[in-house]
Amino acid sequence: IAHLYEEHGENFVDMLDGMFSFVLLDTRDNSFLVARDAIGITSLYIGWGLDGSVWVSSELKGLHDDCEHFVAFPPGHLYSSKSGGLRRWYNPPWFSEAIPSAPYEPLVLRRALENAVIKRLMTDVPFGVLLSGGLDSSLVASITARYLAGTKAAKQWGAQLHSFCVGLEGSPDLKAGREVADYLGTVHHEFHFTVQDGIDAIEDVIYHIETYDVTTIRASTPMFLMSRKIKSLGVKMVISGEGSDEVFGGYLYFHKAPNKDEFHLETCRKIKALHQYDCLRANKATSAWGLEARVPFLDKEFINVAMNIDPEWKMIKPEEGRIEKWILRRAFDDEEHPYLPKHILYRQKEQFSDGVGYSWIDGLKAHAEEHVTDKMMLNAAHIFPHNTPTSKEGYYYRMIFERFFPQNPASLTVPGGASVACSTAKAVEWDASWSKNLDPSGRAAIGVHNSAYENQRTANGNLATKIIDSVPRIMEVAAAPELTIWS
């Protein structure tokens, strides 16, 4: 960083490849430069004191006592003391949201992800992979296992990969993660937690993750508990699968995208918001215990390749046998040297907070019900005029957050707006019934999802049968009261 700055001045930031947040002080004139990586994988905030001082911190708690005003430092931007303002340095074609038209080439996409994973095997510390058994983590684990042998890391730490999974006893992720680990031959570590373990950790999670967003807290808690156990084993870095659903439109609600333009625009919106959701979770849940998380799906070069593909190829078309993230699955569907078993490669999407065990979310809701009264909810808009909680669970998290971060700017750093199954507020417009069912859990879109698979079964025989195998387990929760769009 220092050498590039000396040679190229402020324009060197775009030459960096990786995740970073840094402050560079030039003692020759006491000027300074602050920059954050393209997607916001690492955390960063900036604040201003009444005395004219500028403060920068990787955590909100580093600023909130000293600053009159503070905000999340925007990803892909730099702040120069010389100009006194923020400037965006990351300007890829997709950022302007123009609709791309490059043809889909499976091997190009495969190689781009392989390169992104291999790049992250540069390490001088013990490491492993997070393995939930879903498509994204399984692909990352498979590529890592395949290419680890020839690396310096393998010479130092051994060629057998360690994998880690967390869940409630009997959860979908534990079962699928174990199966993939057996297939890949990793040294697999399963961490079990109870609903009570998770509830007991909520205050610590909100203190470390620094959000009151319901989806993020639901998913951060098991990751926070798992990170503590991983670090206790002496592991200092993990490779994870975050970002794939945003890049490829993998969330269940993408089934309802009306056309390829809207599909692409929603993926752009989702990637731009990652620093407030999944990146925030992955970075802070691991960093709380001194663990580093690396995310190959958010590699700059990989995103350039994936976001340049004509979004027509990403569209979910059950009648043609194309499920969510079909182009990614197809790219790694290698008959001669398979990366994964077929049924894992085509496993249905499971959000992390759902996959660790469905009773986790139900347990959180029941706990919030005990601590938040109907009267409190009636007055919610007066107490929290910004991002007013719409559920008792949301109110409960907000109370804890406000206790740790009482300043008004702190609550403004957390995103809000209507969402169904992790959608942006804009995508809620895709289906009129969604506005009545604004639950961020993946189950909120399950009726749409499973009916699409039923259609596929008749249209596309064998492939659909493999996929639909996982549906009965999911349909067991169909009677839950929040599933108002079940069809």
Side-chain angles (χ1 to χ4, degrees):
I1 286 174
H3 292 306
L4 284 170
Y5 172 72
E6 281 188 311
E7 285 184 41
H8 302 279
E10 292 180 1
N11 295 323
F12 81 93
V13 181
D14 196 22
M15 300 175 185
L16 299 177
D17 184 14
M19 54 179 187
F20 56 83
S21 295
F22 67 80
V23 182
L24 185 150
L25 173 66
D26 189 337
T27 53
R28 294 173 298 192
D29 59 3
N30 273 346
S31 64
F32 65 90
L33 186 70
V34 186
R36 188 178 184 187
D37 66 67
I39 306 298
I41 300 165
T42 56
S43 184
L44 196 63
Y45 298 88
I46 186 167
W48 296 268
L50 283 173
D51 58 357
S53 56
V54 178
W55 295 71
V56 182
S57 174
S58 59
E59 292 188 273
L60 207 50
K61 60 185 73 72
L63 300 180
H64 70 103
D65 290 335
D66 301 290
C67 299
E68 187 64 21
H69 182 66
F70 46 87
V71 295
F73 195 98
H77 281 68
L78 62 84
Y79 176 93
S80 168
S81 64
K82 290 175 182 171
S83 61
L86 286 157
R87 162 168 82 80
R88 183 153 61 86
W89 61 263
Y90 182 55
N91 294 292
W94 71 266
F95 208 94
S96 63
E97 301 186 358
I99 311 302
S101 57
Y104 165 51
E105 297 180 58
L107 292 180
V108 172
L109 186 63
R110 181 199 293 184
R111 193 64 199 149
L113 184 59
E114 287 181 327
N115 288 340
V117 173
I118 292 165
K119 203 185 288 182
R120 279 151 186 81
L121 295 179
M122 289 190 292
T123 178
D124 54 5
V125 297
F127 76 101
V129 292
L130 302 185
L131 179 57
S132 69
L135 174 69
D136 310 323
S137 66
S138 298
L139 278 179
V140 167
S142 177
I143 296 166
T144 305
R146 186 170 288 212
Y147 288 99
L148 180 61
T151 64
K152 194 171 137 191
K155 291 188 182 76
Q156 201 166 355
W157 308 111
Q160 198 169 19
L161 183 64
H162 287 255
S163 56
F164 308 95
C165 187
V166 66
L168 301 175
E169 194 75 51
S171 71
D173 280 1
L174 286 179
K175 182 171 177 285
R178 197 178 310 127
E179 186 180 354
V180 176
D182 288 345
Y183 181 82
L184 298 176
T186 66
V187 179
H188 193 54
H189 308 265
E190 274 186 11
F191 302 122
H192 297 187
F193 75 105
T194 66
V195 172
Q196 191 59 50
D197 290 335
I199 287 170
D200 291 344
I202 290 290
E203 292 208 6
D204 285 342
V205 167
I206 292 173
Y207 176 76
H208 284 287
I209 310 298
E210 303 180 315
T211 187
Y212 50 81
D213 175 67
V214 171
T215 325
T216 305
I217 292 167
R218 286 174 175 180
S220 294
T221 305
M223 195 167 194
F224 178 81
L225 295 171
M226 174 170 60
S227 296
R228 178 176 62 184
K229 294 191 174 181
I230 291 174
K231 186 62 189 295
S232 73
L233 295 174
V235 172
K236 295 185 178 179
M237 183 272 280
V238 287
I239 306 177
S240 189
E242 272 78 22
S244 171
D245 289 314
E246 285 73 17
V247 172
F248 293 104
Y251 290 107
L252 307 186
Y253 72 91
F254 273 92
H255 273 267
K256 286 283 189 171
N259 53 57
K260 73 171 190 176
D261 290 13
E262 263 302 301
F263 193 106
H264 179 73
L265 293 175
E266 178 69 0
T267 59
C268 294
R269 291 189 288 263
K270 289 292 290 178
I271 297 172
K272 289 176 183 179
L274 262 170
H275 68 288
Q276 298 174 303
Y277 296 101
D278 287 20
C279 287
L280 184 90
R281 165 179 58 77
N283 179 258
K284 289 181 176 177
T286 52
S287 295
W289 300 105
L291 186 65
E292 177 193 352
R294 297 185 181 178
V295 283
F297 279 106
L298 297 178
D299 177 77
K300 253 167 73 177
E301 280 307 306
F302 178 75
I303 289 179
N304 286 345
V305 170
M307 290 302 287
N308 197 37
I309 298 168
D310 187 333
E312 182 66 33
W313 287 100
K314 295 181 182 179
M315 290 283 284
I316 298 156
K317 298 186 176 180
E319 68 282 358
E320 295 177 25
R322 277 165 46 182
I323 62 173
E324 71 275 353
K325 293 187 284 198
W326 176 83
I327 64 170
L328 179 62
R329 300 173 196 271
R330 177 72 188 85
F332 285 89
D333 196 347
D334 188 329
E335 295 287 348
E336 286 185 32
H337 306 287
Y339 285 76
L340 293 167
K342 275 274 207 278
H343 65 284
I344 294 287
L345 193 60
Y346 291 95
R347 183 190 177 199
Q348 183 177 15
K349 166 67 187 164
E350 195 93 72
Q351 279 174 224
F352 184 47
S353 54
D354 289 333
V356 296
Y358 292 125
S359 57
W360 166 232
I361 290 172
D362 298 334
L364 286 173
K365 289 180 177 179
H367 182 72
E369 188 76 37
E370 292 172 11
H371 288 79
V372 179
T373 65
D374 293 342
K375 191 174 180 182
M376 290 161 81
M377 289 303 295
L378 278 175
N379 294 319
H382 300 292
I383 299 169
F384 306 118
H386 173 73
N387 276 352
T388 306
T390 56
S391 69
K392 290 186 176 182
E393 186 187 0
Y395 193 109
Y396 177 66
Y397 300 153
R398 186 66 174 271
M399 285 194 301
I400 298 170
F401 179 88
E402 297 281 337
R403 199 166 73 239
F404 291 132
F405 309 104
Q407 291 85 345
N408 193 48
S411 65
L412 299 179
T413 64
V414 180
S419 175
V420 61
C422 280
S423 75
T424 64
K426 181 71 181 161
V428 172
E429 299 169 12
W430 291 351
D431 189 312
S433 66
W434 284 353
S435 61
K436 304 184 190 82
N437 185 46
L438 298 175
D439 189 303
S441 164
R443 290 183 287 174
I446 213 159
V448 176
H449 193 57
N450 284 343
S451 60
Y453 276 98
E454 289 292 349
N455 293 339
Q456 186 180 325
R457 182 193 294 214
T458 48
N460 195 27
N462 295 336
L463 174 64
T465 307
K466 286 171 187 158
I467 299 158
I468 214 133
D469 284 343
S470 64
V471 171
R473 170 177 53 73
I474 295 164
M475 289 174 68
E476 288 167 8
V477 299
E482 71 271 23
L483 299 179
T484 53
I485 61 162
W486 177 262
S487 59

